[in-house]
């Protein structure tokens, strides 16, 4: 059983709180029309990104999804630059050209969010191929949603990665819905591990609302993949608290179901556990929360005050 | 006549065609319970049931492929690809199967399939949710490409598309769903392949379609004050192009500006412009001009997004240039 050190507990809690408060802030900015366009929020799923990415080395890689703010923050993301990017500002991590759906920070091993469901699987497979050719011990974690399980590229990549024993973890974030479509109306198998069986990959289903459970599984699978055993498939079950995007009235799910997940909130539960196990004191938990709140306010302020890109930027960065 | 939105007009078209012909059925991502990402299929699940209003997994290639298969067996499917940006995921099905099957099989089958999708910029959604990819589709013999700009045209053209025995790609625009316009109460159709003169004028012809029609009409109003009389032709269908209407207008005005939202190089305007050159070169008093999207992926930043597509100002400038 994995037990975090004080520092690890502190870091994990802080990152989960950063993600939650960041997403709540984006929702606020969207409702005030300060942020424009869409944003798919990660609230409720924090334990997955934090549990997995905190178990990686800093020079390992990830590919992310349309719901990518959490992955970006957990992968050493700079809150200011991420917030600015979502507002399309010059100071954003992609100079304001990508936006929420395209957050990426290649220097930090984040190969990017994606506007295309399943868009990250090819990239992850190719990055893993490159690492294998380099005889590197680094690995790739490929995040994708339950919805991506049914697109062709997913199957092609899983087969190829397994065939060539590539160092990639296919990490499915199962939050029960792809937009309005519940997984049992979209996926032909109930037990998702059968999908991995089809490609002769080992697999596991993890409680993605419990950061310790995620972390424990992540450590094991990262070790397995790093040792050159080939890919694996890990499903983390969780829930997204907000609608799919801003305008979603959520008619496809019940208030009771929403509450049942909120009652198992990954952050509240982990904070309580830290106190109970003596990993952190109550005071320390409150201090972390306050530090995060301040950082989010600063990031928001930074993003709002940042200028838009210069008009000439329209034509830069297309070709080298 | 009553005023309704583009969204409602499309919804009525689907509703009427489903009521009229039980072979019509709908299939796509989030079209049933959710009513479509932009609400076009709202209410149809309750009316027609799950069998005829079908939510699919996120499987674009299978959506189009299965649409084709069911069309070959006598159904009249209307499938939805949520954003045209995802058309790449089903392009093989569309190009190699849907478009060619009748020809390859010596005319022995028909493909009464409609693929509804939407495109365009305006919501700062960035590079994967803002594209105008009509030119890719215009390059495929065997399909038709329809892009309505007004609620009345949207309804009449969607009904025609569904009744057409050929595959039709029907491209809506995300910034038009909430626009309103007069739509007849009575049953009517708008024919595919026929352009419509939305504003008559004598000095210059603007050839445009989809959201750029609205921008072009505003530009025409502004120029009227400067004494320039602009004729605005709404092409409505890009494949096949209505060469007759284009020719008649150009013979009258002798000047042409094409206004298109897609990226300029090898865009829809290239085909439209070359058609003008081939059909009415002798009538031209000035070079054909394009006002088009910048040749870049759509940037997120709101200011850059606006710069990446034509604006009323750049359209006015473009028209002034050919008037010199
Ligand atoms: C290829 C493709 N099809 C459809 C969409 C529209 N879309 C965006 S997110 C989404 C649902 C994705 O569900 P899932 O993979 O489970 O991720 P979640 O949103 O639940 O995190 C859909 C249908 C898209 N972006 N790309
Ligand atoms: Mg999901």
């Amino acid at each position: 059983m994995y037990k975090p050190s004080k520092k690890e507990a502190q870091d994990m809690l802080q990152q989960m709180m950063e993600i939650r408060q960041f997403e709540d802030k984006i929702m606020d900015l969207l409702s005030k029309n300060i942020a424009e366009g869409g944003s798919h929020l990660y609230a409720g799923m924090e334990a997955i990104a934090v549990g997995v990415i905190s178990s990686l080395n800093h020079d390992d890689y990830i590919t992310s999804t349309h719901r990518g703010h959490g992955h970006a923050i957990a992968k050493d993301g700079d809150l200011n630059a991420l917030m600015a990017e979502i507002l399309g500002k010059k100071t954003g991590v992609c100079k304001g050209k990508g936006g929420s759906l395209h957050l990426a920070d290649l220097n930090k091993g984040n190969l990017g969010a994606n506007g295309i469901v399943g868009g990250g699987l090819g990239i992850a497979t190719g990055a893993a191929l490159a690492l294998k050719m380099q005889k590197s011990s680094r690995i790739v974690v490929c995040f994708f949603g339950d919805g991506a399980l049914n697109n062709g590229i997913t199957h092609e990549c899983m087969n190829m990665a397994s065939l060539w024993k590539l160092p990639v973890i296919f990490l499915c974030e199962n939050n029960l819905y792809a937009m309005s479509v519940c997984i049992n109306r979209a996926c032909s198998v109930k037990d998702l591990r059968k999908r991995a069986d089809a490609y002769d990959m080992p697999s596991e289903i993890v409680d993605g609302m419990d950061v310790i459970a995620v972390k424990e599984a992540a450590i094991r699978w990262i070790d397995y993949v790093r040792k050159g055993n080939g890919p694996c498939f890990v499903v983390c079950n969780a829930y997204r608290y907000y609608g799919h995007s801003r305008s979603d009235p959520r008619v496809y799910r019940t208030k009771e179901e929403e509450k049942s997940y909120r009652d198992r909130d990954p952050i509240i539960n982990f904070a309580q556990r830290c106190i109970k196990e003596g990993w952190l004191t109550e005071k320390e938990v409150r201090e972390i929360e306050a530090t995060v709140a301040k950082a989010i306010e600063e990031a928001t302020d930074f993003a709002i005050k940042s200028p838009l890109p210069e008009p000439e930027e329209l034509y830069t960065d297309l070709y080298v | 006549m009553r005023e309704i939105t583009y969204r409602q007009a499309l919804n009525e078209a689907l509703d009427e065609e489903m009521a009229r012909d039980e072979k019509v059925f709908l299939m796509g991502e989030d079209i049933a319970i959710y009513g479509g990402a932009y609400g076009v299929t709202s209410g149809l699940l309750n009316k027609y049931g799950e069998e005829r209003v079908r939510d699919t997994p996120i499987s674009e290639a299978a959506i189009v492929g299965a649409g084709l298969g069911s069309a070959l067996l006598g159904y009249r499917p209307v499938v939805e690809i949520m954003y045209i940006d995802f058309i790449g995921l089903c392009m093989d099905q569309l190009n190699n199967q849907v478009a060619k099957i009748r020809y390859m099989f010596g005319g022995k089958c028909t493909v009464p399939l409609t693929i509804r999708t939407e495109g365009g910029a305006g919501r700062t959604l960035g590079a994967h949710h803002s594209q105008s990819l009509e030119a890719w589709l215009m390059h495929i013999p065997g399909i038709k490409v329809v892009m309505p700009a007004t609620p009345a045209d949207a309804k009449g053209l969607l009904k025609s598309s569904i009744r057409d025995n050929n595959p039709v790609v029907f491209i809506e625009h995300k910034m038009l769903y909430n626009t309103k316009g007069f739509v007849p109460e009575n049953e009517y159709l708008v024919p595919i392949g026929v352009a419509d003169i939305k504003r008559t004028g004598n000095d210059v012809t603007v050839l445009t379609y989809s959201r750029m029609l609205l921008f072009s009409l505003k530009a025409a109003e502004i120029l009227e004050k400067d004494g320039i009389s602009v004729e605005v032709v709404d092409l409505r269908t890009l494949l096949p192009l209505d060469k007759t209407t284009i020719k008649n207008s150009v013979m009258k005005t002798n000047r042409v500006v094409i206004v298109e939202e897609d990226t300029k190089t090898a865009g829809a305007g290239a085909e439209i412009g070359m058609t003008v050159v081939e059909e009415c070169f002798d009538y031209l008093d000035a070079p054909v001009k394009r006002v088009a999207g910048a040749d870049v992926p759509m940037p997120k930043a709101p200011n850059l997004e606006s710069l990446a597509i034509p604006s009323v100002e750049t359209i006015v400038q473009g028209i002034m240039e050919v008037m010199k």
Side-chain angles (χ1 to χ4, degrees), chain A residues 66-67 115-117 145-148 151 175 177-179 240 244, chain B residues 29-30 58 60 82 86 89 129:
Chain A
H66 59 283
R67 199 173 298 289
I116 303 299
V117 167
D146 48 285
N151 222 335
N175 56 13
Y177 297 90
M179 226 168 129
R240 65 168 152 74
H244 174 71
Chain B
E29 293 159 17
D30 302 284
I58 304 174
E60 283 79 8
M82 192 186 287
F86 314 153
L89 287 98
H129 289 74

Side-chain angles (χ1 to χ4, degrees), chain A residues 72-99:
Chain A
I73 292 173
K75 194 76 175 91
D76 304 322
D78 177 274
L79 293 176
N80 290 10
L82 292 174
M83 186 74 85
E85 186 59 36
I86 291 164
L87 297 197
K89 297 298 182 74
K90 179 183 174 171
T91 54
V93 65
C94 303
K95 298 199 226 163
K97 287 180 164 175

